[in-house]
Amino acid sequence: MIGFDAEKLQETLLDLQRTQERESQLRIENAAILEGVSAMAGANNKRQVFNSLLEVLRKFIAFDNAIVLTRDDEASDLQVLMSTVSTFDFNHWQVSSTFNRCINGECIALYSPKDIEEFKNKSPDLLNICHSSLITGVKISSGDAMIILMSCEKGHFTTSCRRVLNRFRPLLERAIIDIDYRERLQSLVTVRTQELTYSQQRFKDFARTVGDWFWEIDTDYKFSYISASQIANHLIDKNNILDFFDGHEDFKQKFCSQLQKNESFEDLEWHLVIDKKEQWLSFSGTPYYNKHGLLLGYRGTVKNISVRKKRLFDLQQARQQAEAANKAKSQFIAMMSHEIRTPLNAVLGFMDMLSSSGLENEQQQWLGQMEQSAHLLLTIINDILDLSRIESGSFELFNSNISLLESITLVKNQLQPEADKKSILLECYMDNSIPEYIFSDKNRIVQIMFNLIGNAIKFTDIGSVKIVANKIDNNIEVSVFDTGIGISKDAQDNLFNPFHQADGSITRKYGGTGLGLTISELLIKKMHGNISLESKMDVGSCFKVTFPIVTAIHQKPNLAKEKIIPSNFYLNILLAEDSPTNQLVAKLMLERRGHKVTITNHGKEAILKLLQCHELFDLVLMDISMPILDGLEATKQIRKLNINTPIVALTANVMLDDQFLYHQVGMNGFLAKPIQPEELDLILSKYQNLKEETTNKL
């Protein structure tokens, strides 16, 4: 019995000793935990926190290296947060069953890590220093975390090591949370620093672009900030911004006036000369206030705009030169028109005389060909003048109530003989929904149709030319189809450019200047429409013109021209013309129509003749370009003498500006050279009827 009691006492003493040892161990471990927490609290960075944790663990667990892994969510891989070996940084670790158990709170000792799924794909360098490992995990607010303790010895970590690591779990959680927080804080600081650096750089870039100089002044106009000590080589050595403008009182007053308005201002320009070199500075500014709305001062920028000013000056000079060149071109075209029209007037005039002089049939055919060539030359001149007027912007449309059907039919009838010569079928189809009358420029509509239909006939040898007009929405669409030679894709791109044709051989074979389509396109654009082309080589082409319908002014306008009523009254006409040939042509054309003609060689002779007996003359035909005294000046002097005899300009200067000038100096009409019989008859009939009315009243 005594022996049993002694044995029992011995066991109790052993248990007491073990308990005392455990308590002692716990005190040591608790002291180490407290020491670790204290060390972490005083750490300056995450590396010191990590080292403090490892220092505490090494007092109880022997290991060679350690890695802390974290992840933000369960779907992500683990990433290295801290490690004792730099080559492990930024390694990704996939999570399988072993790591999942650790994350959920188990502490696992691995005696052969290379056989575990998570270690299989790791580098040989890592496996060489990790022959055994001790792993556990914790849950933190930002996600999951794990610590891996590694040893180069196999079977190094015991059950005691697992117990110690579990015992140190609170310290482990605190350390990992602290490291993770510092990591995130450092990342945030890095991002914010980068953003600040980028923002500063952006501000500097903007500053260099927006202004050469930043300034800020108080309410007394004294500088509180200057970004640079000089601008445009001009030293800023004044305390008050107004003193900066000494010697430039006008600008100082303007600048002070802007500040006193307490409003933002922009681009206040200051012109100054520094070292005999012009400088232009542009000031912009705005008032600024405190949070209570009290004015604190003004701030703004200054830009050196000298280069921009010089560029603007150069552009203005270039524009003036371009305008001068364009004016010179217009003058040249007008001069060439006059020089060509003057002899052409004689050619057409004599042809008109010869046609009624009883020529033989063969001679009459020759004369017809000559007249056709002369009219072609006149058409070319008119095309060049039209193009020049449109490009210069001096071209205007003269709209009136017109019948589109009549206009297209007129062109068709004029070109029908050309189609008949080539045995080409010329057809025209008009949609009944097209209004009977529209408000447009009949002459220009006819000109466009003449160009398009004429080209279609010119370039078609076999087949037909078809004109189709339709009403589509509020637009009129006129298509001209032909079965001609077609136009290649490359040539179509430049077809509407001036003086351009599909190729050089076309110019040689078919003739023409290449202006017809250019003028047609410009006219259509002037009408707010467009022109398009579809063509296929050796099949044919289709030119399509579309322009908006403008309703006629009157519902049922009377569009018929006034018929010229023949009059038996002859006119006494004073002709002022310096060219003997044109004198002869005009005299023959007028006398053939039964009128009396008196010829003078220049404006001065015309004035003297009118002073002698102006009441004897019913009409003056006045050339413009004459020696001694031109037609314009002569007309001015005639009107100053209160001589009211009608004066009609007879000239080759036919530009729109010229016609306006003729009206301004007191002329009553205009007759272009070469003289067209129809236009001449219209002018003469007007004054014949006027003379008849006056005579009947008497």
Side-chain angles (χ1 to χ4, degrees):
M1 188 68 181
I2 295 174
F4 175 78
D5 291 338
E7 185 178 347
K8 192 71 175 175
L9 178 62
Q10 186 65 31
E11 289 177 0
T12 302
L13 291 174
L14 287 173
D15 288 340
L16 178 62
Q17 184 180 357
R18 292 191 192 99
T19 301
Q20 289 175 342
E21 289 175 354
R22 282 198 299 272
E23 289 177 353
S24 176
Q25 182 66 25
L26 287 174
R27 283 195 296 271
I28 294 172
E29 290 176 358
N30 287 337
I33 290 173
L34 292 174
E35 182 182 351
V37 170
S38 177
M40 291 175 192
N44 295 322
N45 52 57
K46 62 180 182 179
R47 174 60 63 178
Q48 290 182 359
V49 174
F50 183 58
N51 290 339
S52 298
L53 172 64
L54 299 185
E55 185 177 349
V56 172
L57 293 177
R58 278 197 170 97
K59 291 180 179 179
F60 305 96
I61 303 172
F63 58 90
D64 298 316
N65 290 290
I67 305 174
V68 175
L69 306 174
T70 60
R71 67 177 181 181
D72 294 332
D73 56 74
E74 294 181 356
S76 303
D77 292 340
L78 290 165
Q79 290 185 319
V80 174
L81 179 64
M82 293 295 297
S83 71
T84 56
V85 183
S86 59
T87 55
F88 299 157
D89 290 348
F90 310 110
N91 277 352
H92 290 262
W93 294 69
Q94 293 182 345
V95 178
S96 292
S97 59
T98 303
F99 277 11
N100 268 324
R101 289 165 54 198
C102 295
I103 290 171
N104 290 325
E106 288 190 45
C107 184
I108 299 175
L110 300 178
Y111 298 106
S112 182
K114 65 180 181 179
D115 298 327
I116 304 303
E117 184 68 28
E118 287 85 346
F119 283 83
K120 282 185 177 179
N121 295 324
K122 295 305 169 190
S123 66
D125 292 338
L126 173 65
L127 297 177
N128 286 336
I129 62 173
C130 185
H131 288 234
S132 59
S133 63
L134 183 63
I135 310 172
T136 192
V138 294
K139 294 284 186 179
I140 56 177
S141 58
S142 60
D144 301 324
M146 278 180 40
I147 185 168
I148 303 176
L149 303 180
M150 296 182 292
S151 174
C152 295
E153 299 178 9
K154 292 183 179 181
H156 176 72
F157 298 104
T158 64
T159 303
S160 175
C161 295
R162 291 170 55 192
R163 184 193 64 78
V164 171
L165 192 56
N166 274 326
R167 176 77 180 113
F168 278 80
R169 184 176 293 275
L171 179 64
L172 186 62
E173 288 184 7
R174 167 64 190 272
I176 292 177
I177 290 173
D178 199 358
I179 293 172
D180 183 65
Y181 172 75
R182 289 172 185 259
E183 172 71 18
R184 293 177 183 276
L185 185 61
Q186 182 61 42
S187 298
L188 184 61
V189 169
T190 301
V191 170
R192 292 291 184 264
T193 302
Q194 289 175 345
E195 290 177 352
L196 179 60
T197 303
Y198 176 75
S199 180
Q200 290 174 338
Q201 184 60 45
R202 180 169 55 189
F203 175 77
K204 290 178 181 178
D205 292 341
F206 283 155
R208 282 194 296 268
T209 304
V210 174
D212 301 317
W213 178 38
F214 290 87
W215 55 270
E216 184 180 83
I217 56 175
D218 59 21
T219 52
D220 295 325
Y221 307 147
K222 292 182 179 180
F223 284 113
S224 55
Y225 173 75
I226 307 174
S227 63
S229 60
Q230 64 179 24
I231 181 171
N233 299 322
H234 195 73
L235 183 64
I236 305 169
D237 56 357
K238 309 289 186 180
N239 292 326
N240 192 300
I241 194 170
L242 296 182
D243 295 338
F244 182 57
F245 309 123
D246 286 346
H248 299 266
E249 299 303 320
D250 289 344
F251 183 78
K252 180 189 290 189
Q253 186 175 356
K254 286 181 183 179
F255 188 80
C256 187
S257 175
Q258 287 289 349
L259 295 179
Q260 290 172 353
K261 292 178 182 178
N262 289 344
E263 296 176 354
S264 298
F265 62 92
E266 292 182 356
D267 300 327
L268 189 63
E269 295 182 358
W270 181 28
H271 181 213
L272 66 161
V273 179
I274 303 174
D275 298 331
K276 299 181 180 180
K277 187 176 180 181
E278 275 193 323
Q279 296 285 344
W280 286 88
L281 305 180
S282 174
F283 285 76
S284 298
T286 186
Y288 67 97
Y289 306 85
N290 65 10
K291 63 182 180 180
H292 302 295
L294 179 66
L295 179 67
L296 298 180
Y298 314 84
R299 57 170 66 109
T301 63
V302 184
K303 291 180 285 187
N304 188 340
I305 59 172
S306 304
V307 175
R308 189 175 74 188
K309 279 288 186 179
K310 185 179 184 306
R311 188 181 297 114
L312 182 61
F313 176 75
D314 292 341
L315 286 174
Q316 289 174 340
Q317 279 198 323
R319 181 178 179 182
Q320 291 172 357
Q321 291 172 357
E323 289 174 348
N326 191 52
K327 184 177 180 181
K329 183 191 77 171
S330 298
Q331 291 173 344
F332 173 76
I333 290 175
M335 180 192 69
M336 290 303 297
S337 170
H338 177 271
E339 294 302 318
I340 296 173
R341 282 174 178 271
T342 299
L344 196 57
N345 178 61
V347 172
L348 288 172
F350 282 125
M351 286 180 182
D352 185 57
M353 296 297 103
L354 283 172
S355 65
S356 58
S357 62
L359 297 176
E360 298 176 359
N361 288 337
E362 188 178 14
Q363 292 173 328
Q364 194 72 41
Q365 290 177 3
W366 295 343
L367 184 63
Q369 292 177 359
M370 292 168 61
E371 187 174 9
Q372 185 177 5
S373 297
H375 279 289
L376 177 59
L377 181 58
L378 183 61
T379 300
I380 293 172
I381 296 170
N382 289 335
D383 282 348
I384 294 174
L385 290 176
D386 277 344
L387 182 64
S388 178
R389 285 199 295 265
I390 295 171
E391 287 182 339
S392 66
S394 61
F395 177 84
E396 294 296 335
L397 296 173
F398 296 95
N399 295 327
S400 61
N401 295 336
I402 69 167
S403 168
L404 183 65
L405 174 60
E406 289 181 4
S407 300
I408 295 178
T409 302
L410 174 65
V411 176
K412 177 182 179 296
N413 292 339
Q414 287 182 343
L415 293 174
Q416 186 67 55
E418 296 295 325
D420 293 341
K421 285 180 186 179
K422 303 177 76 172
S423 300
I424 297 171
L425 179 62
L426 182 59
E427 303 174 287
C428 181
Y429 300 95
M430 297 286 293
D431 186 356
N432 293 331
S433 63
I434 295 176
E436 184 178 2
Y437 299 110
I438 62 173
F439 192 67
S440 190
D441 189 326
K442 180 177 181 179
N443 290 333
R444 297 308 175 183
I445 292 287
V446 168
Q447 183 178 0
I448 293 167
M449 292 297 104
F450 197 89
N451 281 331
L452 297 182
I453 300 171
N455 278 348
I457 295 173
K458 181 195 295 187
F459 297 112
T460 301
D461 294 326
I462 300 173
S464 65
V465 173
K466 186 186 299 183
I467 308 133
V468 179
N470 292 305
K471 179 179 180 293
I472 299 177
D473 296 330
N474 197 39
N475 296 314
I476 289 176
E477 181 182 277
V478 182
S479 302
V480 179
F481 299 89
D482 68 64
T483 57
I485 61 175
I487 304 168
S488 67
K489 289 289 185 183
D490 294 338
Q492 290 179 32
D493 295 336
N494 296 313
L495 196 61
F496 291 96
N497 292 338
F499 309 103
H500 188 93
Q501 292 184 326
D503 58 55
S505 63
I506 286 183
T507 303
R508 292 192 295 272
K509 182 177 180 181
Y510 295 98
T513 61
L515 289 176
L517 289 177
T518 302
I519 293 171
S520 297
E521 183 184 41
L522 293 172
L523 290 174
I524 284 296
K525 286 183 178 178
K526 193 77 174 177
M527 297 175 182
H528 307 292
N530 62 77
I531 183 170
S532 60
L533 165 66
E534 292 181 6
S535 184
K536 190 173 181 180
M537 292 295 293
D538 302 322
V539 174
S541 303
C542 172
F543 283 88
K544 187 178 295 181
V545 170
T546 306
F547 57 93
I549 297 173
V550 180
T551 307
I553 294 178
H554 302 293
Q555 195 169 9
K556 293 183 179 180
N558 181 14
L559 298 177
K561 288 185 177 179
E562 291 186 19
K563 293 183 179 179
I564 299 175
I565 302 173
S567 174
N568 295 323
F569 280 77
Y570 70 86
L571 298 175
N572 283 318
I573 300 173
L574 177 64
L575 174 64
E577 169 66 64
D578 64 305
S579 168
T581 303
N582 285 332
Q583 288 176 0
L584 179 58
V585 170
K587 184 177 181 183
L588 287 172
M589 294 182 75
L590 293 169
E591 288 180 345
R592 189 177 129 189
R593 287 164 171 78
H595 305 292
K596 292 184 179 181
V597 182
T598 300
I599 296 176
T600 57
N601 295 298
H602 48 74
K604 191 171 184 180
E605 282 187 6
I607 293 173
L608 292 174
K609 183 64 69 174
L610 289 172
L611 283 173
Q612 292 172 6
C613 52
H614 66 83
E615 65 278 354
L616 297 179
F617 294 104
D618 303 305
L619 178 65
V620 178
L621 295 179
M622 182 77 73
D623 187 21
I624 298 299
S625 299
M626 295 184 291
I628 302 178
L629 191 67
D630 63 60
L632 292 175
E633 189 59 35
T635 302
K636 288 180 185 177
Q637 295 185 24
I638 290 169
R639 296 309 184 210
K640 285 180 181 179
L641 295 170
N642 293 322
I643 297 174
N644 297 320
T645 305
I647 301 174
V648 172
L650 178 63
T651 178
N653 296 329
V654 294
M655 300 290 278
L656 193 62
D657 292 342
D658 295 327
Q659 297 178 40
F660 179 73
L661 186 59
Y662 303 153
H663 177 74
Q664 274 192 321
V665 300
M667 291 183 168
N668 303 90
F670 167 78
L671 187 60
K673 293 179 182 177
I675 301 172
Q676 300 298 310
E678 299 83 3
E679 295 178 4
L680 177 62
D681 290 338
L682 191 61
I683 289 285
L684 294 176
S685 295
K686 175 181 176 181
Y687 292 103
Q688 282 179 275
N689 293 331
L690 183 62
K691 182 177 181 179
E692 184 175 358
E693 290 175 7
T694 305
T695 303
N696 291 336
K697 287 180 181 179
L698 296 175

